[in-house]
Amino acid sequence: MMRDGYALQLRSFANGEGPLIVLVHGSGWNGLQFTGLAPQLSGTVLVPDLRGHGALPERRGDVDYIGQFEDDLADLITARAAEGQKVVLIGHSSGGGLVLRFAGGRHRQLMDGAVLLAPFLHHNAPTMRPNSGGWAQPLLRRIIGLSMLNGFGITTWNHLTAIQFNMPTEVLEGPLGHLATTSYSYRLNQSYAPRSDYVSDIKSLPEFLLLVGAQDEAFVAEAYQPLIEGETAKGTYRILDETGHLDLVDAPETRKAIREFIGGI
């Protein structure tokens, strides 16, 4: 139960001794993304459907305020972490962006390690391909206008749609199509990504592992390490051959690298 009484939808795996691991899904989908990975990791593994997503989203594609995802993750960690237990956040794509945001926010002390799977950094970062390789359609004029208003403390229109996703037809028309989230409000979209000064969030990361596929369709794989290691020396980086953006999550090399990283925390 979150601080406002919202019942966060959660999958939980008790996989023996180890850290508390929270898996943060990417944009448009939900915790089912980690059906293959979650049971393979040692420790207490939690897989939430972020607010606004999944089967019981409350308001699909929307949250109450910018930063609510961070508060939800903090509430989840506080409720489930045992005394002295290490905490590792693992996020894919926008989920990786949220992990970065969490590291740069007021709850950063709750996280001991991070795994970033092809993380979203910023729309102007050198890691970006145009429109995330065709996946995302940001409403740029609206985003710019709302950003300016928020700079003056005006949040009245933060519920308006800021980004839309080109969800494949076979997903939308498939048996789980009703679980897809095809657009985000401004306040949810902002909550899901590092801050505008994303470099500051990068500098706040604890020890982390960054994995990306060489064939990533959304992001430029080779651009991550030069950018990030110029700001922090806490990272380990790997580019997986013949691996795309979505393939990365279930790649055997990903599972092996995460296990090794967590074992060293």
Side-chain angles (χ1 to χ4, degrees), residues 2-52:
M2 302 297 97
R3 63 189 65 190
D4 65 340
Y6 175 66
L8 189 73
Q9 298 302 295
L10 185 69
R11 299 165 186 84
S12 181
F13 302 83
N15 298 334
E17 297 294 325
L20 177 73
I21 300 171
V22 182
L23 291 164
V24 186
H25 62 77
S27 56
W29 202 227
N30 54 71
L32 289 175
Q33 178 181 20
F34 296 114
T35 299
L37 179 61
Q40 303 299 318
L41 302 178
S42 297
T44 303
V45 183
L46 306 179
V47 189
D49 289 348
L50 295 175
R51 188 186 297 250

Side-chain angles (χ1 to χ4, degrees), residues 210-227:
L210 191 149
L211 302 175
V212 60
Q215 308 302 319
D216 195 292
E217 303 88 349
F219 304 120
V220 181
E222 60 272 16
Y224 281 104
Q225 186 169 353
L227 169 64

Side-chain angles (χ1 to χ4, degrees), residues 67-226:
Q68 193 166 30
F69 282 159
E70 294 167 83
D71 289 345
D72 284 349
L73 290 175
D75 290 348
L76 182 59
I77 292 168
T78 301
R80 298 297 294 270
E83 184 176 356
Q85 187 177 27
K86 298 287 188 179
V87 175
V88 179
L89 267 59
I90 301 177
H92 176 250
S93 196
S94 291
L98 175 52
V99 172
L100 262 171
R101 184 182 183 92
F102 192 89
R106 61 193 179 95
H107 304 301
R108 66 172 68 93
Q109 76 283 354
L110 295 176
M111 179 170 57
D112 299 293
V115 178
L116 308 174
L117 304 176
F120 172 80
L121 300 182
H122 192 267
H123 67 272
N124 284 332
T127 51
M128 283 296 298
R129 297 191 189 279
N131 294 332
S132 298
W135 159 248
Q137 293 181 320
L139 307 182
L140 290 178
R141 290 184 180 178
R142 180 174 291 176
I143 291 172
I144 292 170
L146 290 172
S147 296
M148 293 175 64
L149 289 172
N150 275 257
F152 290 104
I154 300 171
T155 61
T156 305
W157 295 283
N158 282 3
H159 65 285
L160 295 177
T161 298
I163 193 168
Q164 298 169 326
F165 302 112
N166 296 317
M167 191 72 67
T169 302
E170 58 268 27
V171 173
L172 294 176
E173 295 181 354
L176 299 178
H178 63 291
L179 301 179
T181 303
T182 57
S183 66
Y184 288 162
S185 68
Y186 176 81
R187 57 195 173 197
L188 187 150
N189 195 49
Q190 293 295 109
S191 297
Y192 218 162
R195 293 161 185 80
S196 295
D197 181 13
Y198 67 96
V199 171
S200 179
D201 286 349
I202 288 172
K203 290 178 178 178
S204 298
L205 279 166
E207 296 294 326
F208 68 93
L209 169 68
L210 191 149
L211 302 175
V212 60
Q215 308 302 319
D216 195 292
E217 303 88 349
F219 304 120
V220 181
E222 60 272 16
Y224 281 104
Q225 186 169 353

